[in-house]
Amino acid sequence: MKISFSLLAILVTLSVFVPFFIFIFKGLNNTTKTKHKAENLLKSNGFKYNQKEVWNNKFIGLTEDKKVLSYVAFKPDENQVLNLELSEIKSCEVISDYKKDIDKITRLKHLDLKIWFYTPNKEAVVISFFDTDEAFTEDYEARRIENWKDIIDNNLKVTVNAKMAS
């Protein structure tokens, strides 16, 4: 009786925790695959990154010399690869779009970082951090986009100060 009850308790416990660990492993494995795909794609450019982040089939990184911002979005049809020189960037702005559902809850629809350049004929670039059409849940994108906006702004100030000093 004690053995069958113990065996039943073990089976119930495993049936709860095993799927949980499988989901965690799959998520980590997905992130690792995205990271390796991005590094292999950008390795051809010869860049090394000291600040980088991977999430939802996206990669963003700042090179060690803090001159190039790279962004990669892996899509089923075609990958979007952007390598932006920080010396050409004038400013950046967070663009967020919210929608109100039938249940009157406001949810994030799009979260983008718009980057303007000094050259007037060069069109502004929009880097997508979150889109409800691509991902169903948010993964701290609001915090992530603010962090990268601050990183870009801080490096722009360093670049502007260096230009003024010379």
Side-chain angles (χ1 to χ4, degrees), residues 35 39 42 46-54 59-70 86 147-148 151-152 155:
K35 187 175 183 181
E39 287 175 353
L42 295 171
F47 295 139
K48 291 187 179 185
Y49 300 93
N50 63 345
Q51 291 180 319
K52 56 187 171 186
E53 199 164 357
V54 176
F59 169 87
I60 190 167
L62 186 64
T63 57
E64 287 179 347
D65 58 359
K66 297 185 190 296
K67 291 185 179 179
V68 178
L69 177 73
S70 296
L86 284 179
N147 179 35
W148 280 100
I151 289 170
I152 293 169
N155 286 305

Side-chain angles (χ1 to χ4, degrees), residues 31 53-60 71 94-98 108-113 127-150:
T31 302
E53 199 164 357
V54 176
W55 77 100
N56 288 345
N57 291 332
K58 293 179 175 80
F59 169 87
I60 190 167
Y71 172 78
V94 175
I95 299 172
S96 57
D97 183 21
Y98 292 91
L108 184 63
K109 187 176 179 184
H110 295 281
L111 191 60
D112 302 322
L113 186 65
I127 296 176
S128 174
F129 274 72
F130 179 76
D131 188 0
T132 54
D133 298 333
E134 294 175 2
F136 297 113
T137 59
E138 297 175 46
D139 186 22
Y140 302 108
E141 275 85 359
R143 190 178 326 159
R144 181 176 290 118
I145 198 167
E146 287 297 328
N147 179 35
W148 280 100
K149 182 186 179 312
D150 291 342

Side-chain angles (χ1 to χ4, degrees), residues 3-164:
I3 292 175
S4 63
F5 182 72
S6 298
L7 185 61
L8 184 63
I10 290 171
L11 288 175
V12 168
T13 305
L14 287 176
S15 69
V16 170
F17 287 110
V18 168
F20 181 71
F21 288 124
I22 289 173
F23 288 132
I24 290 174
F25 179 72
K26 289 285 186 182
L28 290 175
N29 196 16
N30 231 2
T31 302
T32 305
K33 284 181 184 178
T34 303
K35 187 175 183 181
H36 287 304
K37 283 194 298 188
E39 287 175 353
N40 289 337
L41 187 65
L42 295 171
K43 196 179 285 186
S44 62
N45 294 341
F47 295 139
K48 291 187 179 185
Y49 300 93
N50 63 345
Q51 291 180 319
K52 56 187 171 186
E53 199 164 357
V54 176
W55 77 100
N56 288 345
N57 291 332
K58 293 179 175 80
F59 169 87
I60 190 167
L62 186 64
T63 57
E64 287 179 347
D65 58 359
K66 297 185 190 296
K67 291 185 179 179
V68 178
L69 177 73
S70 296
Y71 172 78
V72 180
F74 295 101
K75 297 180 180 179
D77 50 339
E78 186 178 332
N79 298 334
Q80 177 187 7
V81 180
L82 297 171
N83 290 316
L84 307 172
E85 294 282 335
L86 284 179
S87 61
E88 296 176 358
I89 296 175
K90 182 179 181 181
S91 64
C92 62
E93 175 190 9
V94 175
I95 299 172
S96 57
D97 183 21
Y98 292 91
K99 65 179 178 179
K100 220 173 223 186
D101 287 338
I102 297 170
D103 55 0
K104 296 182 182 177
I105 295 176
T106 304
R107 290 191 172 91
L108 184 63
K109 187 176 179 184
H110 295 281
L111 191 60
D112 302 322
L113 186 65
K114 191 168 188 176
I115 297 176
W116 286 280
F117 298 98
Y118 283 112
T119 30
N121 59 352
K122 194 167 186 180
E123 202 171 306
V125 174
V126 177
I127 296 176
S128 174
F129 274 72
F130 179 76
D131 188 0
T132 54
D133 298 333
E134 294 175 2
F136 297 113
T137 59
E138 297 175 46
D139 186 22
Y140 302 108
E141 275 85 359
R143 190 178 326 159
R144 181 176 290 118
I145 198 167
E146 287 297 328
N147 179 35
W148 280 100
K149 182 186 179 312
D150 291 342
I151 289 170
I152 293 169
D153 284 342
N154 290 339
N155 286 305
L156 290 180
K157 288 177 187 174
V158 170
T159 308
V160 169
N161 288 340
K163 285 182 181 178
M164 290 176 72

